[in-house]
Amino acid sequence: MCYAVPARVLGLSGNDARVDYGGVVKTVNVSLIEDLAVDDYVLVHAGFAIEKLSRKSAEESLALIAQMMWSGKV
Amino acid sequence: MMEDKRLCYSHLDSIRDTAGKLAGSVTLMEICGGHTNVIMKYGIRKLLPDNVRLISGPGCPVCVASQYDIDCVIELAGRGVPVATYGDMMRVPGSVKSLDGAKAEGGRVFEVYSTTEVIKIREKHPDIIFFGVGFETTSPMSAFLISNDIPVFSVHKLVPPAIKALLAEGAAGITGFIDPGHVSTIIGAKAYRDIKSPQVISGFTPEQVLRSVSILLELIVDCREEVINCYPEAVSEEGNEGALELLASRFKVADSSWRGLGVLPDSGLEVRDEGLDARLIHQDILSGVAEPLKTGCMCGQVLKGLLEPNQCPLYRKECTPTDPKGACMVSEEGGCAIYYRYGK
């Protein structure tokens, strides 16, 4: 039930956004997210965007985790 | 995809290396039903060394709703109160019937994907209530309805108190936890910082789950009782602060009754505004609902990781997805339904 799916924002209108799940386009509520812009990626759960997916910070952290694992010190 | 496959093999190598350093065997619990699904679908348990055991926890919100609460909502629907809820709740067996059954008998029961639909349903059914089920991922959507003056019957539960309760009970001998990914999107990694156990927050691809298991084993070998966020693309330290504010404005933390775990202190969400709490609005009807009788269903032990689904005497016999006897066989994320789906 807690599953959330990533989607790309196509357009914004008040608390609603049109989002693209890779071909399927739907309207979702984005009132739980601040500073959203077209082309941002969001995680959608039960018709609501619950987070903006932050690519840069994710990539940085993942590189760090990988490095720590390699050195045997998480 | 090829990169993912290469990483999976690399994680499995690390897991084997680290498992070799363990003094004995370890039991890791994945809290979230979404993780159980990935683990069973990709046969991850069979890929792990013999001394690393994965068990499923209470992370299916439909499954942990108490039988009494379910009976209450079915009673309301049967007595003419219009009820909207998520599809997962429709087939959960009550003591006498399910919400689907109440609908077949003429009850006004509406299955929704999103709570935004409930606002439209209210135009024709002004006294609609929402049966709010789910962990922290899902409860903000109920808070949204309360903000729109729609009463909620809350069985919303909180994940960290359940982890603490499982640790305190100690019966399943859990060495470390895989914390849920999307619950953590809302509550943030900080919500687990005071739990004294090695933990990882994980995403939902096989690669992410193996990565998390590998890091969890490192924590265990080093005796570090802390949480590592292995899903940083969707989980921050603080969580979704807007959603947490909305939750706090509409709900208060209260004791809550869990199937299998009993009443856990400060483990659920109660509607703040008494005029929008469906439990209070319909107190007259609900006062007649009896405590349910015990059945042979072992959902409780399954949810605590004490039994595997196929150890329940009803599993695959009286209890199947088409004719479920317990909640764990109903929901897509229930341990029993997942075992059934992947042929265990």
Side-chain angles (χ1 to χ4, degrees):
Chain A
M1 173 169 260
C2 292
Y3 206 69
V5 185
R8 187 168 62 90
V9 176
L10 299 177
L12 290 154
S13 165
N15 279 337
D16 289 335
R18 301 273 293 159
V19 300
D20 179 1
Y21 296 91
V24 179
V25 174
K26 285 203 163 185
T27 299
V28 301
N29 185 300
V30 291
S31 60
L32 299 175
I33 309 279
E34 282 176 6
D35 302 327
L36 202 57
V38 169
D39 280 341
D40 278 344
Y41 280 81
V42 287
L43 267 181
V44 180
H45 169 72
F48 285 71
I50 57 167
E51 195 53 280
K52 193 154 71 169
L53 284 174
S54 155
R55 279 204 171 184
K56 193 165 170 291
S57 70
E59 281 166 5
E60 284 170 4
S61 303
L62 292 182
L64 190 65
I65 291 171
Q67 193 188 338
M68 289 165 131
M69 274 174 61
W70 183 77
S71 67
K73 287 178 188 157
V74 179
Chain B
M1 217 44 188
M2 283 308 288
E3 176 64 7
D4 262 19
K5 196 173 166 185
R6 192 188 64 76
L7 280 171
C8 284
Y9 283 120
S10 154
H11 295 325
L12 282 167
D13 285 345
S14 306
I15 288 170
R16 272 188 289 270
D17 282 352
T18 316
K21 296 179 202 159
L22 292 166
S25 56
V26 292
T27 300
L28 315 179
M29 175 179 270
E30 82 273 1
I31 295 290
C32 177
H35 286 146
T36 305
N37 195 43
V38 173
I39 287 163
M40 296 299 290
K41 184 173 177 183
Y42 292 93
I44 287 176
R45 283 183 186 172
K46 287 184 198 143
L47 296 174
L48 298 179
D50 289 343
N51 62 339
V52 178
R53 182 168 164 251
L54 282 178
I55 59 169
S56 312
C60 158
V62 172
C63 307
V64 296
S66 79
Q67 192 67 57
Y68 173 78
D69 284 336
I70 290 164
D71 283 348
C72 281
V73 176
I74 294 169
E75 178 70 12
L76 291 178
R79 298 277 289 269
V81 177
V83 176
T85 194
Y86 296 119
D88 283 14
M89 289 313 288
M90 298 291 288
R91 291 175 54 241
V92 178
S95 292
V96 181
K97 60 190 164 209
S98 64
L99 275 173
D100 246 354
K103 184 176 183 176
E105 290 169 12
R108 289 180 289 166
V109 182
F110 303 89
E111 182 180 328
V112 296
Y113 160 70
S114 167
T115 51
T116 53
E117 295 163 49
V118 183
I119 293 177
K120 291 188 192 110
I121 297 170
R122 175 172 58 180
E123 290 167 14
K124 284 191 179 169
H125 306 275
D127 51 344
I128 187 97
I129 64 162
F130 183 67
F131 183 16
V133 61
F135 294 117
E136 294 92 330
T137 329
T138 313
S139 35
M141 293 84 209
S142 293
F144 162 85
L145 279 185
I146 300 170
S147 305
N148 282 279
D149 294 326
I150 290 176
V152 167
F153 188 105
S154 168
V155 294
H156 288 297
K157 305 269 192 278
L158 305 172
V159 166
I163 297 180
K164 287 177 190 165
L166 286 164
L167 268 177
E169 195 178 281
I174 303 159
T175 329
F177 289 92
I178 301 173
D179 294 334
H182 296 136
V183 163
S184 307
T185 298
I186 301 293
I187 65 179
K190 69 171 183 191
Y192 307 95
R193 297 275 176 221
D194 66 334
I195 297 174
K196 298 273 173 267
S197 176
Q199 302 160 77
V200 285
I201 298 170
S202 180
F204 293 90
T205 67
E207 189 275 312
Q208 288 168 326
V209 170
L210 287 172
R211 181 207 306 166
S212 301
V213 170
S214 172
I215 291 185
L216 184 52
L217 289 175
E218 295 266 3
L219 286 179
I220 292 167
V221 164
D222 292 346
C223 300
R224 287 166 64 185
E225 294 181 335
E226 57 188 83
V227 55
I228 299 272
N229 179 6
C230 296
Y231 192 28
E233 52 271 60
V235 177
S236 63
E237 179 64 20
E238 299 299 319
N240 182 329
E241 290 174 280
L244 289 173
E245 271 169 35
L246 175 66
L247 276 178
S249 72
R250 296 299 169 184
F251 288 108
K252 58 186 174 197
V253 174
D255 297 352
S256 186
S257 174
W258 297 57
R259 189 191 298 263
L261 304 179
V263 176
L264 301 182
D266 294 338
S267 68
L269 294 176
E270 198 173 281
V271 180
R272 269 191 194 280
D273 184 340
E274 293 183 359
L276 292 167
D277 184 347
R279 289 178 191 266
L280 298 176
I281 299 170
H282 296 294
Q283 219 168 9
D284 51 333
I285 297 175
L286 296 176
S287 61
V289 177
E291 277 297 328
L293 298 171
K294 289 213 183 312
T295 66
C297 167
M298 311 288 267
C299 276
Q301 280 95 318
V302 170
L303 290 165
K304 285 197 279 195
L306 297 176
L307 282 184
E308 303 244 346
N310 51 10
Q311 292 174 305
C312 171
L314 304 186
Y315 178 79
R316 269 186 185 269
K317 298 188 180 85
E318 288 110 293
C319 186
T320 63
T322 46
D323 187 16
K325 294 290 179 281
C328 299
M329 188 59 96
V330 178
S331 170
E332 291 263 303
E333 290 181 358
C336 301
I338 295 171
Y339 265 60
Y340 194 95
R341 196 173 331 136
Y342 297 114
K344 282 276 272 191

